[in-house]
Amino acid sequence: MRKPLLYLLCLGGFTAFAQDNVGYQTPPKPLADLVLAPPTPTVSVDSKGQWLLISERNTATTTIAELSEPELRLAGLRLNPATSGPSRAVYVNNLKLRKVSASASDIQITGLPANAKLSSIQWSPDNSKIAFTNTTDSKIELYVADVATAAAAKLTDLALNGTLGTPYQWVSDNQSLIAKIIPAERGGAPEISRVPSGPTVQENLGKKAQAATYQDLLKNPTDEKLFEYYGTSQVAKISLTGTIQKIGSMGIIAAAVPSPDGSYVMVETIHRPFSYLVTVNRFPSKIDIYGSTGSFVKTLTDTPLHENVPWGPDAAPMGQRNHNWRNDAPATVYWVEAKDGGDPKRKAEIRDVVYSLEAPFSGTPKELYNAAYRFAGVTWGNDQVALFSERWYSTRKTLTKWVNPSNPANPVVLFDRSSEDRYNNPGSPELKKNAYGEYVLDLTPNNEIYLTGQGASPEGDRPFVDIFNLTTKQSTRLWRSEAPYFERPISILDAQKGLILTSRESQEEQPNYFIRNLKPAPKKGKKPAEPALTQITFFPHPYPQFKGIQKQQLRYKRPDGVDLTATLLLPPGYKKEDGPLPTFLWAYPAEFKSAAAASQVNGSPYQFNRISYWTGAAFVTMGYAVLENASIPIVGEGDKEPNDTYVEQLVASAKAAIDEGVRLGVVDASRVGVGGHSYGAFMTANLLSHSNLFRGGIARSGAYNRTLTPFGFQNEQRTYWQAPDVYNKMSPFMNAEKMKTPLLMIHGEADNNTGTFPIQSERYYNALKGMGATAKLVFLPYESHGYTAKESLLHMLFEMNGWLDKYVKNAPPKTSNSKTGQMSGEK
């Protein structure tokens, strides 16, 4: 019997557009093993170099069930309403102690809660105790462990509030902590009606309010009530005996920090009016000083809502900002104030001024430092030595000066360099705890400091330890990592004896901790012995089945002369005689103001072959050659902006990497795929739109239409209205008709990263579909910008492997179209 025409039309429409719901899938075992491998414990060393705290996790991932628990998204925060804490946290499940000694063994900390979910782990100022929180189904609890007995106990039944950051801080007496507790007076959560009381209204009266495209903003009065409720806490001083001393009134407490001597507490409180344009860090806030007994001392400032901050990375808000305690003084607060209106476009000899005010905070603030650029931080030493830093992003300028806090009139420039120049990075100063348990500069009697750093060089990264004389500005190298190992300093255990704690690894050896002796005793009648090295941890290889993966650091040039690097990974047992391999290029572009800086070598060929499931490296287990971390520098020197020639430099960099692999005989140029995450996804879509180098691409959690991020993106400082051609040319969405190569897009449906709204992938996929491109879009439920659930990660690898297998590894031969000069066969 002939079927009705309407039925046929409906059936045809259904079969053409219905999507199969296949559920979560699992990739081939080599890829799945990377996700399921037991995570290596993390290690924290006490400030005396006597104890290691070993933090263990049951798994490197969460589950989709955990991600699907109730979550509120308010003012840029994501919180669990059941616990008044973060909804997406990585927890430690077990704690052990070990003496810093080769003969020591692990000591299990007893008294941990069942089904432990531990976080916010802190050593006490004197290293005798360790505090941490445990998150249950209904609250955040506070625990303290005694190092001598390796026994832990819950300190109080009161629940902590972790909505706005770390919920507690140690006091320098080592017998008490300042905590943000949930007061009984907070009551029950507000009852929210689904029936609105009226429209949501926003108004601007002619003032510029340029802001990034933040996610999870407050949207209506209901959100305001929820934010106010869940953010509310009470500051309290909790002793180790369990006594409670309330400090101040309950409110939306952003931070509560004791002074180094423990006599005062600085409290930052968020208050109305809230904003629907910016996140909580720009809401109005008040800075108050209280005595540790709870008495009010002084209000330092009450800053307004910051919706109208000038635009750009060198901009700053007006008024006081960045309040903190001087680490080297009993109770002295310092802060910064912009003197140029916070506007980087305004000419000014002095842009920022740092002020300080000593207890009892009744005097006149002291001017400590005048910054010609934007203040970037300070490392305190003592009343004679502090290191102040300032920076200016647009020129990549960074300065470090030695300031005498007792007489700050004539600071001495120690380092004046480009922040892009990795080769000449002097390193970071080594710190030690002072009498208050605060970290300060580790100063020698000769006015020297120790510097440790990554040690970027033309030979690759070679971490180092230097001693630097502040008076002469001369640096002496004490030690440098040597091939075939990558070894980095963790802590100076004993400067006089020359003992340092390092993490040491090689291509096949998992990172472990060692004691290195820089001053070994020489043997009689012989040359001085080599520096002694003593291993103190023995973490196993996380995936021994993948030993034998070959790694090589490639160096090659772009046609414009810029030197490039990439890490080439080859499967175990591969020989060049086997012929070129299908290849996966994984990268993330970076902007530079200097071609010389862009040419600097990044990484080390001697680092452990950590085959992360997160990057392209995973696919070396599936028989691909992988060009991992291929450098994609986007350079704009002088008055030129990097993004003015973004597409040209992007394509040239990718082609140079492929050409080098072909020259080595390991890359099959006719079977190359490309992928990246976030800005790397943006790169991938652009490469497929503007070149014919690849057979397939994988773009995860990207942004594809830059008109949806009109007030800048990544490191682009110009707005859309200042550079519309740049925004349009760089947007893959605007060039959807050029896409001729299969593209797989994956995106977390709860992405909260600035600029990478899930709608970016949704709208781009619709555009590609409308233009007839081969494309696939996979949304991962409950996932944010980075994916954490085991089910999501396994499915991500399943999709990536299937896409690469179909469109790259088993791609049909390319054929040339004589009329267009283009290559076909991509689909």
Side-chain angles (χ1 to χ4, degrees):
M1 186 177 80
R2 187 174 183 181
K3 294 182 175 65
L5 178 60
L6 178 62
Y7 175 81
L8 291 173
L9 290 174
C10 291
L11 181 61
F14 177 82
T15 56
F17 298 106
Q19 303 295 316
D20 293 330
N21 185 2
V22 296
Y24 287 107
Q25 299 294 305
T26 301
K29 188 176 185 301
L31 292 172
D33 284 348
L34 296 176
V35 175
L36 303 176
T40 299
T42 57
V43 172
S44 170
V45 61
D46 76 346
S47 66
K48 296 180 180 178
Q50 297 178 350
W51 288 97
L52 297 178
L53 177 66
I54 301 172
S55 302
E56 298 178 339
R57 290 182 291 154
N58 296 335
T59 175
T61 63
T62 59
T63 67
I64 198 64
E66 290 173 304
L67 284 188
S68 61
E69 292 175 354
E71 177 183 69
L72 294 176
R73 303 172 185 176
L74 303 168
L77 306 172
R78 292 192 168 181
L79 59 98
N80 184 337
T83 64
S84 291
S87 59
R88 297 167 181 267
V90 176
Y91 296 110
V92 167
N93 307 113
N94 191 31
L95 295 173
K96 295 178 180 178
L97 285 165
R98 176 194 281 261
K99 278 279 191 180
V100 180
S101 167
S103 59
S105 57
D106 291 350
I107 303 171
Q108 175 64 51
I109 293 182
T110 61
L112 298 178
N115 303 313
K117 296 170 72 175
L118 314 179
S119 60
S120 300
I121 301 169
Q122 297 181 29
W123 292 92
S124 65
D126 67 356
N127 306 296
S128 67
K129 302 172 184 66
I130 300 166
F132 54 89
T133 62
N134 177 58
T135 300
T136 70
D137 291 339
S138 60
K139 65 178 180 179
I140 300 174
E141 305 171 324
L142 181 59
Y143 278 72
V144 172
D146 182 80
V147 173
T149 63
K154 186 165 63 172
L155 190 58
T156 175
D157 286 327
L158 291 171
L160 304 191
N161 191 323
T163 298
L164 290 165
T166 304
Y168 75 91
Q169 297 282 343
W170 276 102
V171 179
S172 57
D173 63 4
N174 302 290
Q175 299 299 312
S176 56
L177 304 99
I178 300 297
K180 295 184 287 184
I181 63 173
I182 297 177
E185 297 88 337
R186 189 177 78 161
E191 294 185 7
I192 302 302
S193 172
R194 290 181 56 83
V195 179
S197 60
T200 298
V201 178
Q202 299 185 63
E203 183 179 23
N204 187 61
L205 300 177
K207 293 184 177 180
K208 287 185 178 181
Q210 300 177 355
T213 50
Y214 297 111
Q215 308 254 32
D216 301 338
L217 298 174
L218 299 180
K219 299 178 179 64
N220 50 52
T222 294
D223 281 356
E224 294 187 50
K225 292 179 182 178
L226 290 171
F227 168 72
E228 199 161 36
Y229 174 80
Y230 287 105
T232 294
S233 59
Q234 169 71 57
V235 179
K237 184 178 182 180
I238 306 176
S239 74
L240 296 186
T241 60
T243 60
I244 305 294
Q245 170 66 61
K246 292 185 178 180
I247 297 174
S249 303
M250 70 177 189
I252 307 174
I253 309 298
V257 185
S259 61
D261 68 356
S263 300
Y264 300 92
V265 181
M266 182 163 52
V267 178
E268 180 182 5
T269 307
I270 306 295
H271 62 79
R272 291 176 179 269
F274 304 143
S275 172
Y276 295 0
L277 178 67
V278 295
T279 57
V280 61
N281 62 314
R282 290 197 180 187
F283 285 8
S285 65
K286 187 158 63 81
I287 306 292
D288 294 315
I289 303 292
Y290 290 88
S292 60
T293 58
S295 58
F296 173 78
V297 176
K298 183 182 182 68
T299 295
L300 292 178
T301 187
D302 192 343
T303 59
L305 175 65
H306 289 312
E307 280 190 345
N308 305 101
V309 175
W311 173 250
D314 292 319
M318 286 288 291
Q320 297 182 18
R321 70 181 196 273
N322 297 358
H323 295 77
N324 216 323
W325 296 106
R326 271 185 61 170
N327 291 13
D328 64 327
T332 298
V333 67
Y334 72 96
W335 66 87
V336 190
E337 294 184 28
K339 296 302 178 181
D340 60 355
D343 187 353
K345 296 179 181 178
R346 182 184 298 180
K347 292 183 178 181
E349 291 186 4
I350 301 298
R351 294 196 176 272
D352 277 348
V353 175
V354 180
Y355 295 93
S356 68
L357 184 63
E358 298 180 9
F361 315 106
S362 56
T364 301
K366 178 182 178 181
E367 195 172 293
L368 271 183
Y369 186 75
N370 293 327
Y373 303 101
R374 200 61 72 201
F375 174 70
V378 56
T379 304
W380 300 101
N382 53 37
D383 59 359
Q384 303 293 313
V385 179
L387 304 185
F388 280 75
S389 296
E390 52 188 280
R391 53 88 185 161
W392 198 248
Y393 176 78
S394 62
T395 60
R396 310 304 196 267
K397 180 83 164 180
T398 179
L399 281 172
T400 301
K401 296 181 183 181
W402 168 18
V403 174
N404 180 343
S406 300
N407 183 19
N410 298 298
V412 178
V413 176
L414 298 177
F415 307 112
D416 181 352
R417 65 185 192 88
S418 166
S419 60
E420 295 179 336
D421 185 2
R422 299 179 70 249
Y423 288 178
N424 290 300
N425 188 333
S428 301
E430 184 72 10
L431 307 179
K432 66 177 181 180
K433 281 186 178 179
N434 60 12
Y436 306 116
E438 300 287 343
Y439 280 100
V440 295
L441 290 168
D442 188 359
L443 285 158
T444 74
N446 296 325
N447 219 24
E448 297 166 323
I449 60 174
Y450 296 96
L451 297 173
T452 61
Q454 192 74 356
S457 75
E459 298 83 41
D461 290 349
R462 295 181 61 187
F464 63 87
V465 178
D466 285 355
I467 190 165
F468 180 82
N469 190 295
L470 295 173
T471 304
T472 65
K473 303 183 189 180
Q474 295 300 307
S475 182
T476 302
R477 182 131 300 172
L478 302 179
W479 170 83
R480 189 184 190 193
S481 179
E482 297 288 346
Y485 291 94
F486 178 79
E487 188 174 358
R488 59 187 179 88
I490 303 298
S491 176
I492 295 179
L493 302 177
D494 189 321
Q496 295 300 317
K497 294 181 179 179
L499 299 179
I500 64 173
L501 181 70
T502 70
S503 173
R504 191 171 190 250
E505 62 193 272
S506 68
Q507 287 193 11
E508 293 293 346
E509 296 176 34
Q510 158 87 350
N512 269 292
Y513 290 84
F514 292 75
I515 298 174
R516 177 171 283 280
N517 188 347
L518 304 182
K519 299 178 180 179
K523 295 181 180 179
K524 292 183 179 181
K526 296 183 179 181
K527 294 181 179 179
E530 290 297 317
L533 195 64
T534 306
Q535 186 170 353
I536 59 171
T537 66
F538 300 86
F539 301 133
H541 196 296
Y543 22 77
Q545 68 273 33
F546 298 134
K547 282 188 174 181
I549 286 174
Q550 304 170 59
K551 180 166 70 174
Q552 180 182 351
Q553 192 172 53
L554 305 184
R555 302 182 188 182
Y556 49 98
K557 282 186 181 292
R558 209 164 65 180
D560 60 1
V562 174
D563 291 319
L564 305 177
T565 61
T567 300
L568 173 65
L569 300 174
L570 297 170
Y574 170 79
K575 302 183 295 294
K576 288 185 179 180
E577 304 86 79
D578 297 335
L581 295 172
T583 301
F584 192 29
L585 185 151
W586 187 269
Y588 190 95
E591 295 91 341
F592 293 87
K593 290 297 291 180
S594 161
S599 295
Q600 291 183 350
V601 175
N602 190 14
S604 167
Y606 306 116
Q607 286 182 279
F608 176 60
N609 288 340
R610 187 170 299 282
I611 311 303
S612 171
Y613 56 72
W614 189 243
T615 71
F619 289 89
V620 72
T621 67
M622 300 304 295
Y624 292 84
V626 177
L627 292 167
E628 179 81 346
N629 292 327
S631 54
I632 310 284
I634 310 297
V635 183
E637 295 188 305
D639 295 333
K640 296 180 180 178
E641 291 295 328
N643 286 337
D644 290 344
T645 53
Y646 171 85
V647 170
E648 294 82 356
Q649 295 189 66
L650 190 73
V651 173
S653 297
K655 185 177 185 303
I658 296 171
D659 288 348
E660 178 64 10
V662 170
R663 186 189 70 80
L664 293 173
V666 299
V667 168
D668 181 350
S670 67
R671 293 187 298 163
V672 182
V674 61
H677 188 87
S678 193
Y679 206 52
F682 176 70
M683 168 205 77
T684 297
N686 267 305
L687 281 171
L688 300 190
S689 299
H690 299 288
S691 79
N692 196 39
L693 298 170
F694 302 98
R695 305 307 299 274
I698 299 173
R700 297 191 328 225
S701 299
Y704 309 103
N705 183 348
R706 285 307 175 188
T707 68
L708 299 180
T709 55
F711 294 109
F713 57 89
Q714 198 70 6
N715 293 313
E716 175 56 60
Q717 303 177 63
R718 296 166 295 184
T719 69
Y720 171 75
W721 297 275
Q722 292 173 316
D725 292 341
V726 170
Y727 276 68
N728 288 322
K729 184 178 180 181
M730 289 181 66
S731 293
F733 181 89
M734 309 305 183
N735 296 279
E737 82 285 358
K738 298 178 182 178
M739 179 63 74
K740 306 300 179 186
T741 307
L743 176 64
L744 168 65
M745 288 186 288
I746 303 175
H747 213 125
E749 69 170 15
D751 192 336
N752 68 336
N753 182 58
T754 302
T756 55
F757 284 52
I759 198 173
Q760 289 271 1
S761 286
E762 182 182 347
R763 290 291 183 260
Y764 186 42
Y765 171 76
N766 289 342
L768 293 175
K769 184 176 180 180
M771 300 309 297
T774 298
K776 185 176 185 179
L777 173 59
V778 178
F779 269 131
L780 298 175
Y782 298 111
E783 293 290 359
S784 186
H785 192 60
Y787 323 141
T788 60
K790 175 183 67 177
E791 296 87 343
S792 301
L793 293 167
L794 291 172
H795 191 88
M796 174 192 79
L797 292 173
F798 165 80
E799 296 283 2
M800 293 174 68
N801 183 67
W803 200 259
L804 290 173
D805 190 66
K806 181 177 182 179
Y807 293 109
V808 177
K809 182 180 287 186
N810 298 306
K814 284 188 175 183
T815 57
S816 177
N817 185 322
S818 59
K819 292 184 178 180
T820 64
Q822 296 295 311
M823 303 297 288
S824 63
E826 288 87 345
K827 296 184 181 181

